[in-house]
Amino acid sequence: MDYKILLADDSVTVQKIITLTFKDEGVEVVTADNGDEAINRLQYLRPDLVMADVSIPGKNGYEICEFIKNHPDLRETPVVLLVPA
């Protein structure tokens, strides 16, 4: 799989939906249950896209986005912030 998405969301349902959505597209979805875990995974994963829940435990989606945009090696990584409905 060439394309990686890091999904930071504590909802198992959202994790399953996103993973199933991209399953047949050759996209690897790596999940993190909290913001601190997501930031740790960013260090070595280098995803092509980050999807982060704004209300995730630990560092929230906004803080994850701020970390990415301030990191010299990650700042070009697109971030999609997820908002609970």
Side-chain angles (χ1 to χ4, degrees):
M1 294 187 181
D2 295 329
Y3 199 84
K4 291 181 198 165
I5 294 175
L6 175 60
L7 172 62
D9 199 306
D10 59 333
S11 168
V12 175
T13 303
V14 171
Q15 290 178 2
K16 286 182 181 181
I17 290 170
I18 298 296
T19 300
L20 288 172
T21 299
F22 291 103
K23 180 181 176 184
D24 295 332
E25 303 299 323
V27 175
E28 179 183 4
V29 177
V30 178
T31 61
D33 294 325
N34 63 65
D36 299 319
E37 180 184 352
I39 287 177
N40 287 336
R41 289 187 178 204
L42 279 166
Q43 302 296 330
Y44 65 87
L45 185 62
R46 302 291 193 238
D48 299 291
L49 173 68
V50 174
M51 300 174 77
D53 182 358
V54 296
S55 59
I56 193 169
K59 300 224 181 275
N60 64 40
Y62 297 111
E63 292 168 311
I64 294 169
C65 183
E66 180 180 28
F67 175 84
I68 291 168
K69 297 308 173 185
N70 288 324
H71 192 286
D73 296 330
L74 299 172
R75 70 172 47 133
E76 298 298 321
T77 305
V79 178
V80 175
L81 294 174
L82 306 173
V83 182

